[in-house]
Amino acid sequence: GSGQRSIASFFGAG
Amino acid sequence: MFEARLAQGALLKKVVEAIKDLIEDANFDCNSSGFSLQAMDSSHVSLVALSLRADGFEHYRCDRNVSMGMKLASLSKILKCANGDDAITMKSEDNGDTITFMFESPEQERLSEFDLKLMDIDSEHLGIPDNEYDATVKLPAAEFQRIVKDLSTIGDTVEISVTKDAVKFGTTGDIGNANIMCRQNKAADKPDESTEIDINEAVSLTFALRYLNSFAKATPLSTHAVLKLSKELPILVEYHIPEVGRLAFYLAPKIED
């Protein structure tokens, strides 16, 4: 199946 | 203090209408360069980034950086009390606990003021990398809105595939499947209807339609939506607000486990 990742897992805390 | 006057108050109304269903509350950050917001939706799958440049306002003053927490539903209620042709001025004292919205009719015969209580909001600020994207598609905003709406009647996710000459949107659901293809079309006589594709590499990614439908609420802000895609990265859906700034949405892709 396809999983939904969180946006934070792509963009680190800045 | 912070004070900013937007002659086209309707822009602010449209911005808030575009994001109020996606994010519940957010900090609006003001500094000398402009008025901005960054917030994730409650399930942390998408990110909204708004920036309105100081020079896009008729008058802009921000003596020190301020972050003003607002509940979007409350802000929306207040902005609905402004007419579409009103100028809107926002005002807040340093360390104040309210922001004042002043609405002025074009002939200035009607002047109203609404104060909104500010709130403390803990929000995580994400660092958005300045990516080179594999593919950029600029298509009429209304067309993008229609595509994601139509495909939502069939399925929950959309596969967006971009090649040199066309962008394809496909979905599958219980009742069947659907594909919509838009070809590149740089109609010089009708610039508002153009579809432009700029590609470094063909790319194909899958996204939840629910969020794209929500992003499309920004359609009244701009003639075009700009989609930027890179392999296995969030899609960027941008609406340029002429002379003032932009409203951008990022959505994490669905990735095979």
Side-chain angles (χ1 to χ4, degrees), chain B residues 106-119:
Chain B
E107 303 297 325
Q108 296 185 335
E109 75 279 19
R110 187 174 195 268
L111 207 69
S112 35
E113 270 192 13
F114 290 76
D115 293 334
L116 174 65
K117 288 181 192 160
L118 297 175
M119 47 198 290

Side-chain angles (χ1 to χ4, degrees), chain B residues 184-200:
Chain B
Q184 170 146 272
N185 159 36
K186 295 179 179 171
D189 54 330
K190 291 178 183 167
D192 287 0
E193 294 171 25
S194 68
T195 296
E196 293 170 42
I197 296 171
D198 185 10
I199 190 169
N200 293 320

Side-chain angles (χ1 to χ4, degrees), chain B residues 146-212:
Chain B
R146 181 172 174 195
I147 290 168
V148 293
K149 178 170 164 270
D150 287 352
L151 294 184
S152 300
T153 64
I154 306 290
D156 297 329
T157 62
V158 58
E159 184 181 23
I160 305 179
S161 308
V162 192
T163 55
K164 194 162 70 70
D165 307 310
V167 52
K168 202 178 85 178
F169 301 85
T171 192
T172 302
D174 292 340
I175 65 163
N177 53 55
N179 277 293
I180 299 171
M181 189 188 69
C182 297
R183 286 208 178 84
Q184 170 146 272
N185 159 36
K186 295 179 179 171
D189 54 330
K190 291 178 183 167
D192 287 0
E193 294 171 25
S194 68
T195 296
E196 293 170 42
I197 296 171
D198 185 10
I199 190 169
N200 293 320
E201 201 173 328
V203 60
S204 184
L205 286 163
T206 301
F207 301 96
L209 277 164
R210 182 160 84 82
Y211 293 94
L212 297 177

